[in-house]
């Protein structure tokens, strides 16, 4: 947890040391005595240090804890990936607690973006220095790339949530860490919802899932995007509802010359899974519907 305690409670509250009390010699300059209440897997809530645009859309859901005295406790790893890892976080006060998913993008030394240029075609980079660094692949450019993907996922999560798409509620972003709604399995409280790939719904639920999947993809298309990497592994089955995850590579259908190809691949991947479960669906027919929604 030490790498993620950059914005502790001391950012908003700095208690004075009692007369005669001095900072221990082994403590850093930003130490305050409240920090000694925390374990290695804990930090003070980072919520107070986030600005409005770094927080999710209003109104905040009930599970969003705004109390500056809340403590974040890391409970374990939910998922590991090539670009990021997802951790389970409990944010709690003496009266309230909620579970959140913390997606942390890896440092440039720990990951590579071998496909990023194909996904990001059509996206603009505002600062010329950043654009040059990305093009040259410098150390600074890799840092820009890391934050760029985190910021992209944050913006797409907000955009899709506000448009009514079934995505996790985006709670906050700080640097390359995104805190979002933890999608729980309603049949196993406290456990994460399984991926669509791993479930075998009955025929009635399967049809209901298909309707939800088509709706989600239509919302993306109306916004002008294809998911770009949609598969049964990027969809959670939380009881009766589906939730689409992993959005950083959203593809601009108009600005990316391969946009329709990505959309077709999304349709094929999803249709293949539904057919494997016994529902006769047509990926090309779905593609035509989505193109009509986009234009």
């Amino acid at each position: 947890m030490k790498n993620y305690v950059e914005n502790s409670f001391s950012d908003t509250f700095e208690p004075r040391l009692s007369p005669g009390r001095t900072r221990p010699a082994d403590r850093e300059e930003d130490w305050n005595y409240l920090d000694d209440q925390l374990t290695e897997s804990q930090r003070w809530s980072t919520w107070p240090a986030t600005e409005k645009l770094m927080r999710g859309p209003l109104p905040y859901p009930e599970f969003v804890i705004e109390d500056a005295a809340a403590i974040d406790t890391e409970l374990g790893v939910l998922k590991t990936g090539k670009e990021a890892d997802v951790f389970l976080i409990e944010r709690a006060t003496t009266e309230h607690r909620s579970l959140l998913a913390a997606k942390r993008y890896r440092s440039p030394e720990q990951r590579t973006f071998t496909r990023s240029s194909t996904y990001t075609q059509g996206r603009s980079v505002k600062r010329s220095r950043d654009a040059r660094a990305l093009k040259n692949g410098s150390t600074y450019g890799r840092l820009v790339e890391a934050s760029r993907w985190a910021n992209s996922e944050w913006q797409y999560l907000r955009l899709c949530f506000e448009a009514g798409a079934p995505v996790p509620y985006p709670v906050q972003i700080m640097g390359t860490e995104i805190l979002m709604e933890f999608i729980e399995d309603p049949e196993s409280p406290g456990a994460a919802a399984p991926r669509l790939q791993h479930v075998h719904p009955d025929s009635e639920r399967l049809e209901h899932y298909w309707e939800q999947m088509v709706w989600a993809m239509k919302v993306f298309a109306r916004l002008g995007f294809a998911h770009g990497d949609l598969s049964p592994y990027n969809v959670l089955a939380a009881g009766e509802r589906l939730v689409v995850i992993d959005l950083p590579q959203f593809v601009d259908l108009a600005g990316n010359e391969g946009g329709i190809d990505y959309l077709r691949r999304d349709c094929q991947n999803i249709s293949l899974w539904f057919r494997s479960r016994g529902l006769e669906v047509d990926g090309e027919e779905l593609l035509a519907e989505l193109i009509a929604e986009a234009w």
Side-chain angles (χ1 to χ4, degrees):
M1 279 296 291
K2 217 161 190 180
N3 292 336
Y4 308 107
V5 191
E6 295 178 355
N7 295 285
S8 67
F9 188 73
S10 60
D11 290 328
T12 54
F13 174 71
E14 296 184 0
R16 297 179 180 276
L17 297 175
S18 302
R21 183 170 182 170
T22 60
R23 178 181 292 106
D26 62 344
R27 296 293 193 265
E28 298 180 359
E29 286 298 317
D30 60 353
W31 172 87
N32 75 67
Y33 67 85
L34 290 178
D35 292 339
D36 284 344
Q37 299 176 21
L38 305 182
T39 68
E40 285 295 314
S41 63
Q42 292 181 318
R43 68 184 181 191
W44 294 103
S45 169
T46 53
W47 178 268
T50 58
E51 300 175 358
K52 289 185 178 180
L53 291 180
M54 298 163 63
R55 298 174 178 176
L58 294 170
Y60 299 137
E62 290 186 2
F63 66 80
V64 173
I65 296 176
E66 302 178 62
D67 195 323
I71 293 175
D72 292 347
T73 302
E74 187 176 303
L75 302 180
V77 179
L78 291 173
K79 175 192 173 186
T80 59
K82 294 180 180 179
E83 295 92 15
D85 300 314
V86 182
F87 297 82
L88 180 62
I89 299 290
E90 179 192 62
R91 176 164 287 177
T93 65
T94 55
E95 298 179 350
H96 305 287
R97 66 180 291 272
S98 67
L99 294 176
L100 302 172
K103 186 169 186 177
R104 295 168 182 161
Y105 280 83
R106 295 179 181 175
S107 67
E109 295 75 22
Q110 296 173 315
R111 65 194 176 108
T112 59
F113 288 87
T114 57
R115 298 181 298 169
S116 63
S117 61
T118 59
Y119 285 109
T120 58
Q121 186 181 84
R123 298 184 192 176
S124 61
V125 179
K126 293 182 179 180
R127 296 178 58 187
S128 59
R129 179 194 177 196
D130 292 351
R132 289 194 302 272
L134 285 170
K135 183 178 180 179
N136 295 332
S138 64
T139 300
Y140 174 69
R142 293 194 296 272
L143 290 171
V144 171
E145 188 76 346
S147 60
R148 187 185 185 196
W149 279 70
N151 288 332
S152 292
E153 178 152 29
W154 171 253
Q155 295 299 333
Y156 293 139
L157 273 173
R158 282 187 58 109
L159 180 68
C160 291
F161 183 86
E162 291 182 299
V167 298
Y169 175 81
V171 176
Q172 67 176 79
I173 181 173
M174 285 203 72
T176 55
E177 179 189 79
I178 300 174
L179 287 182
M180 64 187 82
E181 175 187 5
F182 170 63
I183 306 301
E184 187 177 54
D185 183 352
E187 298 171 4
S188 301
R195 299 177 188 280
L196 187 61
Q197 177 67 24
H198 300 139
V199 301
H200 293 78
D202 58 32
S203 58
E204 182 178 354
R205 180 172 288 189
L206 186 65
E207 290 186 13
H208 185 47
Y209 278 174
W210 174 252
E211 293 170 358
Q212 291 183 62
M213 199 70 256
V214 172
W215 166 254
M217 296 177 75
K218 284 185 175 181
V219 174
F220 299 156
R222 289 186 201 123
L223 293 171
F225 298 100
H227 183 282
D229 196 26
L230 192 60
S231 78
Y233 291 96
N234 287 335
V235 180
L236 302 180
E240 293 284 343
R241 72 178 181 126
L242 296 184
V243 181
V244 181
I245 59 173
D246 293 336
L247 311 183
Q249 72 292 313
F250 252 37
V251 176
D252 189 323
L253 291 174
N256 190 313
E257 63 183 20
I260 298 302
D261 292 332
Y262 281 110
L263 186 61
R264 175 177 282 108
R265 188 177 70 178
D266 286 351
C267 292
Q268 291 173 344
N269 288 342
I270 289 300
S271 298
L272 180 62
W273 182 86
F274 278 92
R275 287 198 300 272
S276 74
R277 295 298 190 266
L279 186 65
E280 289 303 316
V281 295
D282 188 328
E284 288 299 315
E285 184 177 316
L286 174 59
L287 175 63
E289 290 183 32
L290 297 179
I291 291 175
E293 292 288 338
W295 281 281

